[in-house]
Amino acid sequence: MAVLPIVTGDTTPVLRTVSKNVPQVTKTILALIKDMEETLKDEGGLGLAAPQVGESLQICLAQIGGKVQVLVNPEITWRSKEADTEEEGCLSLPNIVVAVMRPREIVVRYRNRKGMEEERRLKDMDARVVQHEMDHLNGVLIVDYLSSPATNEHRAPVTIV
Ligand code: ZN
């Protein structure tokens, strides 16, 4: 197990690439997941996506209901029409906070660390963290939302990695 260095920069290729599907949760993939968990714990964030540690794979961690969950090949199958705007930060873009508008609720389908398919309906912060991490798997960063109107400038900044 190891704490991995975080890749930064809004033009860094691995952060701007659509990640590859993971056909099987192999021992190598599990080792990467464990390193990502250790890295997330070390950074004290709410989530971490594989491209942020230099691996262009469809794997992310997200704190859901206070517990870190592993999402392999996640796919959003439903989004609420209702949206919220909150300020987000990102470990890959130090010192940048962007107000991001996102659907308030989603249904996400993914494989867990055992390779079993799961589906969950998430709302509020849980839904936001997963959407932020899934953006990373699609090469999208919070700076891409800079045109969004900042409607909540009095709220406390949210840090998401
Ligand atoms: Zn991020």
Side-chain angles (χ1 to χ4, degrees):
M1 300 244 291
V3 171
L4 306 170
I6 301 282
V7 177
T8 59
D10 67 358
T11 57
T12 306
V14 73
L15 294 176
R16 287 310 203 174
T17 305
V18 177
S19 297
K20 289 191 238 32
N21 199 266
V22 177
Q24 214 184 336
V25 182
T26 59
K27 281 187 178 157
T28 309
I29 295 291
L30 275 176
L32 171 64
I33 288 170
K34 283 186 177 151
D35 285 348
M36 286 174 64
E37 287 174 324
E38 200 170 326
T39 304
L40 178 58
K41 205 172 166 188
D42 185 65
E43 297 289 349
L46 298 174
L48 185 69
Q52 293 183 279
V53 294
E55 297 287 344
S56 194
L57 294 167
Q58 294 273 332
I59 303 168
C60 63
L61 307 180
Q63 212 174 88
I64 298 173
K67 275 182 69 181
V68 175
Q69 306 286 330
V70 179
L71 292 84
V72 177
N73 303 335
E75 195 186 334
I76 294 175
T77 58
W78 177 83
R79 293 170 170 84
S80 66
K81 288 199 181 77
E82 192 191 350
D84 269 344
T85 302
E86 293 275 359
E87 291 190 322
E88 296 182 13
C90 180
L91 270 189
S92 293
L93 301 171
N95 307 318
I96 294 175
V97 172
V98 180
V100 182
M101 187 190 283
R102 300 190 187 274
R104 194 180 155 233
E105 288 187 63
I106 58 168
V107 172
V108 63
R109 187 184 297 162
Y110 57 95
R111 291 189 183 275
N112 65 20
R113 70 172 72 226
K114 290 176 180 159
M116 308 282 285
E117 197 169 86
E118 292 185 2
E119 195 175 67
R120 293 182 73 154
R121 183 173 176 143
L122 305 173
K123 64 176 181 177
D124 298 329
M125 188 58 77
D126 292 344
R128 179 168 295 275
V129 172
V130 168
Q131 290 177 85
H132 178 116
E133 299 315 328
M134 286 183 64
D135 275 355
H136 278 302
L137 304 182
N138 289 307
V140 174
L141 296 169
I142 52 174
V143 287
D144 302 338
Y145 294 88
L146 273 173
S147 56
S148 302
T151 56
N152 60 338
E153 55 193 19
H154 300 297
R155 293 194 196 177
V158 173
T159 301
I160 294 171
V161 301

